Every structure is written in C-alpha cells, then in structure tokens.
Amino acid sequence: MNRPEGKYAWTVTVGEKGQFVIPKQAREIFDIKPGDTLILLGDVERGIAIPPKATFAKYAEEIFKSQ
C-alpha cells in the first residue's frame, strides 16, 4: 500500500481496562517516552486524536480561546 510521505496508520487493541499500547514505530517517530503526558482530543463527529506533544501549547491556546 502506498501512503503519502509523513502519513501513517496503525491499529491498536483496547484492553479490558480501556488501555492500549502505542505502537513502537509511532513512539519512535513522535519521540514518546515512558512517563510522557499526552493530550487526547475528541470530537464526536471526527473521532479521537493524539497530537504530537510539541503542539500541546498551540492546541491548549485554541481550546481556551474559544470559550
């Protein structure tokens, strides 16, 4: 399957406690380390997103600006 440069897709399985493991390749690409705090964004129409941690401040600013 051909994919656009810089675009990825993975599958994960949600366990009984509602947890899932972020695939190793994704952790390496996005520099996710044990103990990191991630932001989880949700939209009932568009789904769930876990943006790169470097963009946290940008998303937080947008979220609080819209109130």
Side-chain angles (χ1 to χ4, degrees), residues 1 3 5-10 13-14 21 26-27 29-30 33 35 37 47 51-52 54-55 57 59-60 62:
M1 172 159 108
R3 62 173 174 74
E5 183 74 25
K7 305 292 183 185
Y8 301 90
W10 299 279
T13 301
V14 178
V21 174
R27 294 191 316 265
I29 290 169
F30 294 105
K33 305 280 191 244
T37 299
T55 63
Y59 286 110
E62 288 298 316

Side-chain angles (χ1 to χ4, degrees), residues 11-55:
T11 62
V12 298
T13 301
V14 178
E16 291 181 24
K17 295 182 180 182
Q19 299 169 324
F20 64 88
V21 174
I22 299 171
K24 181 180 180 189
Q25 184 185 31
R27 294 191 316 265
E28 290 172 346
I29 290 169
F30 294 105
D31 192 31
I32 299 170
K33 305 280 191 244
D36 282 353
T37 299
L38 303 176
I39 183 171
L40 181 69
L41 303 175
D43 181 301
V44 295
E45 293 179 14
R46 297 179 68 193
I48 295 173
I50 305 172
K53 59 187 171 186
T55 63

